[in-house]
Amino acid sequence: MERKVGTVSRGVRCPIIRQGDDLAEIAVSSVLEAAESEGYGMRDRDVVALTESIVARAQGNYVTVQDIAEDVKTKLGGETVGVIFPILSRNRFSICLKGIAMGAKKVVLMLSYPSDEVGNALLSYDQLDQAGVDPYRDVLTLEKYRELFGENKHEFTGVDYVQYYSDIITEAGAQVEVIFANQATAILDYADHVLTCDIHTRARSKRLLLAAGAKVVCGMDDIMNAPVNGSGYNAKYGLLGSNKSTEDKIKLFPRECQDLVEEIQDGFLKKTGKHVEVMVYGDGAFKDPQGKIWELADPVVSPAYTAGLEGTPNELKLKYLADNDFKNLSGAELKEAISNSIRQKQSNLVGNMASQGTTPRRLTDLIGSLCDLTSGSGDKGTPIVHIQGYFDNFTD
């Protein structure tokens, strides 16, 4: 019988993961138990994905605010530190800021405006227009900000992040000065030891600051990129991709997990005879139309994945074929013509008009977004996602 279902994404429940758990064995057994309980089987080119959180937890990849403070003090001198372009997040950045402030005598906090890098808004563009403020040029002091805009609470969290971050810094024992600017080099009028906290633009920010004469420049990826007093670490990403664990501890982005995805792939092959693709995923890469928040606060969607997930989709747009190439056909004849086009498509459709409108994104970013939406970030209890039919097409 002809298959009537395409892509299916299932959240899979598994035990609560703790440090030292055999995550490869847990992942394989959890997926197979889920398949048995729901009455479906494994297929070649299924995708099994694990959220980065359980990978980092199994690794025990944690650091404390004291570890961060020591690393910041060592690398940035422990005096006045310019902290620029942080995202506005209680989960992602607030506890990092606590550790940073503990490692300095004064923090000059420079916030981008009207929103942070991932779309969390301090202000609206309408507010800027009404105040006659040019965000590409103007540097605002805290006093000027309050005079023009008063208190502004985040739409979803109800937090005034300007006050919230200022309080974190002072409670950690450091002095605080807050400014608002969108040019990295604006901080150099206040501090020449700079920690740039942007995620996806960090390389440019570092380059501009060093070229403009900053004495020391670090990114979040340079803090906790090696162990401090036996702590966790991430050699590639440092504090990027970290999440709050407790009031004094942070879970870092997982490290060195390529061996894990390949071990899981091998485990499925041995137990089922099926070749399954495996990936670790964090944030998806999508934008909320209401709050304008771009979800990707991790440095990458997927820090590790098996070889079959490399590349981008190579797909034809069915509606283009139906409305153009085969506009005079219908029914079984139309279906057969489109099926033949798919079977005969080139291995690289770049520039082919019949592929326009298909998503020109990396497979890991697309699948990671699907996984993030499937597993959620709350209490679903499904940190493993099993996807079937993703690589199917109309002819399968």
Side-chain angles (χ1 to χ4, degrees):
M1 179 180 177
E2 181 184 17
R3 281 175 56 188
K4 294 296 184 180
V5 176
T7 301
V8 176
S9 179
R10 296 180 176 93
V12 176
R13 292 177 178 167
C14 71
I16 302 298
I17 303 301
R18 296 297 189 191
Q19 181 176 351
D21 285 349
D22 186 345
L23 192 52
E25 172 58 31
I26 291 172
V28 173
S29 61
S30 295
V31 171
L32 294 181
E33 288 168 7
E36 182 179 6
S37 72
E38 295 295 313
Y40 63 90
M42 302 294 294
R43 300 176 188 158
D44 286 322
R45 298 221 76 188
D46 282 2
V47 179
V48 172
L50 291 76
T51 182
E52 57 84 18
S53 178
I54 62 171
V55 179
R57 288 214 307 272
Q59 293 176 341
N61 204 16
Y62 294 88
V63 301
T64 67
V65 291
Q66 289 80 13
D67 298 328
I68 295 171
E70 184 171 332
D71 210 24
V72 166
K73 188 172 183 179
T74 298
K75 293 173 178 174
L76 287 155
E79 298 293 328
T80 298
V81 176
V83 175
I84 73 170
F85 300 154
I87 63 172
L88 306 177
S89 172
R90 294 169 298 174
N91 173 47
R92 290 285 193 170
F93 188 72
S94 65
I95 193 167
C96 293
L97 181 59
K98 180 179 180 180
I100 292 164
M102 288 168 59
K105 291 183 179 178
K106 179 179 179 179
V107 171
V108 181
L109 181 67
M110 189 174 93
L111 300 173
S112 57
Y113 73 98
S115 64
D116 69 9
E117 180 184 5
V118 296
N120 290 297
L122 282 173
L123 304 164
S124 69
Y125 277 101
D126 287 339
Q127 286 176 289
L128 297 184
D129 293 342
Q130 292 166 8
V133 173
D134 181 352
Y136 301 102
R137 181 195 63 204
D138 295 340
V139 178
L140 306 178
T141 63
L142 177 60
E143 292 72 25
K144 189 65 175 178
Y145 171 86
R146 291 299 191 197
E147 175 191 333
L148 293 173
F149 306 113
E151 179 184 67
N152 290 275
K153 293 184 177 181
H154 191 279
E155 177 181 5
F156 295 144
T157 66
V159 173
D160 177 350
Y161 280 96
V162 177
Q163 189 62 52
Y164 177 54
Y165 279 2
S166 296
D167 290 345
I168 288 173
I169 293 167
T170 56
E171 289 168 9
Q175 297 177 355
V176 60
E177 182 174 1
V178 182
I179 61 171
F180 304 81
N182 291 311
Q183 301 296 330
T185 53
I187 193 63
L188 297 179
D189 290 335
Y190 303 83
D192 56 13
H193 288 60
V194 183
L195 175 60
T196 180
C197 302
D198 43 345
I199 305 163
H200 307 291
T201 55
R202 62 188 184 275
R204 179 174 185 265
S205 294
K206 291 179 187 180
R207 173 173 55 80
L208 292 174
L209 286 163
L210 290 169
K215 289 184 178 178
V216 179
V217 178
C218 290
M220 292 276 280
D221 52 334
D222 300 310
I223 306 299
M224 301 312 305
N225 59 358
V228 173
N229 299 323
S231 71
Y233 69 98
N234 190 306
K236 187 173 184 180
Y237 297 120
L239 287 176
L240 292 176
S242 61
N243 283 273
K244 182 178 181 179
S245 175
T246 71
E247 293 303 318
D248 294 298
K249 186 189 292 184
I250 295 170
K251 177 194 64 59
L252 298 178
F253 210 48
R255 64 177 189 265
E256 301 156 5
C257 43
Q258 187 62 38
D259 288 347
L260 172 66
V261 297
E262 293 175 2
E263 183 181 354
I264 294 171
Q265 183 183 58
D266 186 58
F268 280 113
L269 185 62
K270 289 177 179 176
K271 290 194 174 185
T272 69
K274 303 299 182 182
H275 183 87
V276 174
E277 303 297 346
V278 183
M279 65 183 287
V280 175
Y281 69 96
D283 280 343
F286 47 83
K287 186 173 182 176
D288 169 45
Q290 173 64 31
K292 314 303 181 187
I293 298 169
W294 182 39
E295 177 71 7
L296 188 56
D298 286 325
V300 291
V301 172
S302 177
Y305 51 88
T306 50
L309 297 178
E310 187 63 64
T312 58
N314 191 58
E315 300 172 344
L316 295 172
K317 197 78 168 180
L318 298 195
K319 64 183 180 183
Y320 181 90
L321 293 174
D323 291 345
N324 290 272
D325 295 35
F326 307 120
K327 61 184 178 182
N328 296 320
L329 302 180
S330 62
E333 193 176 10
L334 174 60
K335 179 180 178 180
E336 183 60 25
I338 288 178
S339 296
N340 285 333
S341 293
I342 293 172
R343 294 186 190 103
Q344 297 166 14
K345 68 182 177 182
Q346 300 170 342
S347 60
N348 187 341
L349 293 171
V350 173
N352 187 321
M353 287 298 290
S355 70
Q356 65 179 332
T358 59
T359 310
R361 292 167 56 190
R362 287 160 38 116
L363 287 168
T364 50
D365 294 340
L366 290 164
I367 297 171
S369 297
L370 173 59
C371 291
D372 191 21
L373 289 168
T374 300
S375 61
S377 58
D379 57 8
K380 288 185 172 62
T382 55
I384 300 175
V385 176
H386 182 197
I387 299 171
Q388 295 192 297
Y390 189 84
F391 294 102
D392 289 358
N393 61 44
F394 187 63
T395 67
D396 293 316

